[in-house]
Amino acid sequence: ARRGFVVGVLGLAGGAAWWSARAPAPCSDLDAPIGAVWNDARKREAAQAFATSGLPYASAAWTTVAAGVDAWSTAWIDEANAACRATEIQHTQSEVMLDRRVTCLDARRRELVALLEVFDRADADAIERGPSAVERLPSPTTCADLEALDRRAPIPEDREAYDALVDRVAAARAEYTTGHYDRARVLAEPTVAAAVALGHRPTEADARLVLGDALDELGQADASSRELDASIAAAEAGGADEISARAWIDLAYVEAWSRSDVPAAERALGFAAAEIEALGDPHELHGTLTKVRAAVVGMRGDYVQAEALGRAAVDELVLARAGQIRIGAAKLGVGGNLYDAGKWPEALEWMRDAQRDFTDALGPSHPSTLSARSNAANVLSHLRRLDESMAEHREVLALREASLGPDHPTIGANLGALANAHYYRGEHAEAVAYQRRALALVERTRSRDHRDALILRENLAAFLSEAGEPQAALDEAESLLADRRRVQSADHPDVVTALETVAGALAQLGRHDEAAARYAEALELAGRVLAPDHPLMLDLHVGAGRAALARGRLDDALTSGQRALAVAEKEYGPGHVKLRNSLELLEEIATAQGRAADAAGLRARIEGIAAGEAAP
C-alpha cells in the first residue's frame, strides 16, 4: 500500500497523501508539506530570533539562511513532483519505488523541521553556524538515487516508532551542526539505543554518525572513533552507502586531527573512496573526500600533492553547487597548503578569495570571515609586509572583541597572531607579552592541556629565547614536553616539536651536549612517526648540525647540514628563503674546515636568496 505523507508539525492533521490518483490533477499541491513549515510567518519568527541577538553579523547570517532554505525547499518540491510523476503520470516507476522515494523525502523534510526549530530559539552559536548548517542539510536530490534506495533495508513495520527515531536523529544533527555539541550527544545516545532495539540498521548508523561527530567535538576522540566504526558497520549491514561514506570521511578526520594517526586516516579515506565510487562518485561527496584527503596529505608533508588535491576539491564542490561557505572553506584549505609549501603570494590570493566568499555569505564581521583575514595577515608577515599584517591583526581583534567580548576563547587566537606579528618585526618583548595574554585567556576559558594552549606554550618558549630569556624558555619548553607526553602520548608527532623546542633552549644556554642528545631523541622519534622528507626534518637537521658544530664534530655537522639542505630543496625548491638556515650552517662548516671556495659559493647562494626575498 502507498504510504501517505504525515505532516506532524504546527498542529496539522496527519495522513494527508502527497498525491492521489483519484484527484482531478495528480501530483498537485506537493509543496504543501514544505509550506506548512517554511512560510512567511515562520520566516518572520526566525528572523526576529536572529535580530534580537545583537550580533553584528546576525542580519547577514539570516539573509544567507533564508536564501539557503528557500533553495533547499525548491529542490525538495522538485524531487517530490518528479517522484510522483514517474509513477502516477509517466508510469515508469513502481509504487514500491515511489514509496521509498516518499520515505526518503519525508526524512529530509524532518531534517529541515529540526533545524528550523533550533533557529526559532537561535543563540550565538546557532547564528554563527546557521548558514553552514543549512548548507549541510541532506540534499533532497539524493532521494532520486533509485539504486541506493533499493539497497537500503526496508522501513520497519512499526512506522510510528521509526518516524519518532527519524525525528530524534534529525534533532540531534540540527544541534550538532549549530554548535550545540553536548545537546547533540544527549539526544543521540538514547536514540542509538532505541534504533538498536527497533532493529533498523540505517537509522542506527545515522544516529551513531551524529553521536560520533559530537563526541569528537567534545574532545572524546577514542569514543568518537568507536561510534563511527559502529556507524559504518550498521550502515554496511543496512545498505546505507551514503551514511557509510560520510562516516568513513568523519573517521578519517578524527584519526588525523584528534588522534594524530595519519596512516589510519588514509586507510579510512580509502574505504570512503570505495563507498563513494559505488554511489557513482557524486561531486558533493567526492569533493568533501578530496578536501579531507588534501589536508591529511599535507599533514605528512607532501605539500605538492596536497595543493593539487585541494584545487580538485574546490572544483568538485563548485560543480556540486555545494554553497559559498563550503567552497570558501575549501579555498582556505588550498591557501593553507600553499602557505605550508612556502608559496606565500599564491597562498595570499587563495585566502583573500576565501575571505570574499565568507564576506558575501556571512558579512564582514562574521567569525569565519575574520578567521580568513587572520590567516591572510599571517601570510603578509612572511611576505615581509609587516605593517599591513599588524594593522590587519589589530582590526580583526577589535571586531572579534566587539562581537564576542574580550574573554571569548577564540580571542586567544587573535592575541597569538599579534604575538607572531611582533615576532616577525623583531619586537620580541612585545611578542612575549601578547603570547602570555593569549595563553592566560585560553587556559582560563579552556584548560592548560587544551590543544590551543599547548601550541601557544610552544611558541612562547621560542619567543622567550629570542627575547633573551633562555632559562625561562627552557623551563617552559620542558614543562610543555612533559605535558605533551602526558596528554597526547610519548610517541605523538607533536612530541617531536616539543623536543626540538627543548633542544633549542639548551643550545642557547650553551649546554650543547644536552642539546645534541635532545635533537637525537627528536630525530629518532621523527624517523618513526614522520616521513623522512617531512618539512619538520629540516629544522631538526639544522639544529642537530649546529649542536655538532658547537661541539667541534664537523663531520657530523656536515652530514646534518647536507640532510637539511636536501629536505629544503625537495620541499621548497632551490631558491626559497626556507633554504637559508641550512645554507648558513653549511657555510660555517665549510669555513671551519678551511674550504674557502665552497664557503664562497654557499655565501653567493644565500645572498641571492636574500636579494630575491627583498625584491617584492
Side-chain angles (χ1 to χ4, degrees), residues 303-429:
Y303 300 137
V304 174
Q305 186 185 5
E307 177 192 340
L309 287 167
R311 291 175 185 268
V314 172
D315 291 341
E316 289 194 84
L317 291 172
V318 169
L319 284 172
R321 299 180 180 178
Q324 201 166 17
I325 302 167
R326 292 184 64 193
I327 292 169
K331 290 177 180 176
L332 198 61
V334 176
N337 293 329
L338 290 163
Y339 172 86
D340 289 335
K343 299 178 180 179
W344 297 317
E346 292 176 76
L348 183 62
E349 290 178 13
W350 279 86
M351 289 177 179
R352 290 299 195 204
D353 197 11
Q355 180 185 329
R356 285 189 287 272
D357 283 339
F358 292 140
T359 301
D360 290 345
L362 303 168
S365 58
H366 189 276
S368 294
T369 307
L370 298 181
S371 292
R373 287 185 64 182
S374 186
N375 285 335
N378 288 334
V379 179
L380 288 171
S381 293
H382 283 281
L383 292 170
R384 296 300 183 264
R385 293 162 61 177
L386 301 178
D387 290 342
E388 290 178 71
S389 174
M390 182 68 76
E392 190 84 344
H393 280 308
R394 290 191 184 282
E395 187 171 342
V396 169
L397 176 62
L399 287 168
R400 273 220 168 120
E401 287 183 329
S403 61
L404 301 175
D407 293 327
H408 193 276
T410 58
I411 300 298
N414 289 101
L415 293 170
L418 272 169
N420 286 330
H422 280 291
Y423 174 80
Y424 281 113
R425 286 162 62 106
E427 299 164 355
H428 301 306

Side-chain angles (χ1 to χ4, degrees), residues 44-390:
R44 285 194 297 271
E45 292 172 7
Q48 183 64 22
F50 274 61
T52 56
S53 71
L55 292 169
Y57 49 83
S59 177
W62 172 250
T63 298
T64 299
V65 163
V69 176
D70 283 343
W72 190 95
S73 299
T74 298
W76 191 96
I77 293 166
D78 289 345
E79 288 300 326
N81 276 285
C84 182
R85 287 176 62 82
T87 296
E88 300 291 352
I89 297 175
Q90 298 163 347
H91 307 296
T92 58
Q93 173 180 270
S94 70
E95 290 189 3
V96 171
M97 186 52 69
L98 174 59
D99 194 48
R100 286 178 176 261
R101 291 178 76 173
V102 168
T103 298
C104 177
L105 285 166
D106 184 28
R108 296 291 183 262
R109 182 194 65 86
R110 291 168 187 269
E111 298 271 359
L112 174 64
V113 170
L115 186 58
L116 292 177
E117 288 174 354
V118 173
F119 290 156
D120 286 343
R121 48 179 168 77
D123 60 6
D125 287 330
I127 291 169
E128 176 183 338
R129 294 172 175 84
S132 62
V134 172
E135 285 192 359
R136 294 173 68 176
L137 276 170
S139 174
T141 60
T142 59
C143 296
D145 188 338
L146 306 187
E147 291 183 5
L149 292 176
D150 196 44
R151 287 193 296 271
R152 183 174 284 222
I155 302 303
E157 290 185 8
D158 188 346
R159 180 60 188 252
E160 185 176 351
Y162 167 77
D163 286 343
L165 279 178
V166 171
D167 284 338
R168 289 163 65 178
V169 173
R173 180 172 286 112
E175 297 292 358
Y176 170 77
T177 58
T178 53
H180 305 138
Y181 305 122
D182 199 51
R183 288 187 206 168
R185 177 192 62 78
V186 168
L187 287 170
E189 283 178 339
T191 304
V192 167
V196 171
L198 185 63
H200 192 243
R201 298 288 263 168
T203 307
E204 176 194 343
D206 209 11
R208 289 189 186 277
L209 175 59
V210 178
L211 178 57
D213 289 343
L215 288 168
D216 182 52
E217 292 290 351
L218 293 168
Q220 301 177 43
D222 290 344
S224 170
S225 179
R226 289 192 296 271
E227 281 299 331
L228 292 172
D229 278 337
S231 173
I232 292 163
E236 292 290 335
D241 296 338
E242 183 180 351
I243 296 174
S244 178
R246 293 190 186 279
W248 276 119
I249 292 172
D250 291 356
L251 180 61
Y253 187 94
V254 172
E255 296 292 358
W257 279 270
S258 302
R259 305 180 82 202
S260 297
D261 190 340
V262 171
E266 292 180 322
R267 177 177 177 274
L269 290 172
F271 281 105
E275 291 284 3
I276 292 169
E277 182 180 349
L279 287 164
D281 286 322
H283 289 303
E284 186 273 329
L285 262 180
H286 205 277
T288 301
L289 167 71
T290 306
K291 178 177 178 288
V292 176
R293 178 169 274 159
V296 171
V297 167
M299 290 180 74
R300 59 175 167 82
D302 189 345
Y303 300 137
V304 174
Q305 186 185 5
E307 177 192 340
L309 287 167
R311 291 175 185 268
V314 172
D315 291 341
E316 289 194 84
L317 291 172
V318 169
L319 284 172
R321 299 180 180 178
Q324 201 166 17
I325 302 167
R326 292 184 64 193
I327 292 169
K331 290 177 180 176
L332 198 61
V334 176
N337 293 329
L338 290 163
Y339 172 86
D340 289 335
K343 299 178 180 179
W344 297 317
E346 292 176 76
L348 183 62
E349 290 178 13
W350 279 86
M351 289 177 179
R352 290 299 195 204
D353 197 11
Q355 180 185 329
R356 285 189 287 272
D357 283 339
F358 292 140
T359 301
D360 290 345
L362 303 168
S365 58
H366 189 276
S368 294
T369 307
L370 298 181
S371 292
R373 287 185 64 182
S374 186
N375 285 335
N378 288 334
V379 179
L380 288 171
S381 293
H382 283 281
L383 292 170
R384 296 300 183 264
R385 293 162 61 177
L386 301 178
D387 290 342
E388 290 178 71
S389 174
M390 182 68 76

Side-chain angles (χ1 to χ4, degrees), residues 476-514:
E476 187 66 53
E478 288 182 330
S479 173
L480 170 71
L481 175 60
D483 286 342
R484 281 210 183 276
R485 283 173 165 162
R486 173 178 56 81
V487 174
Q488 295 173 290
S489 82
D491 292 337
H492 195 283
D494 287 346
V495 172
V496 175
T497 58
L499 284 164
E500 182 201 358
T501 305
V502 171
L506 287 166
Q508 190 175 20
L509 286 166
R511 295 160 59 175
H512 299 297
D513 289 341
E514 295 171 79

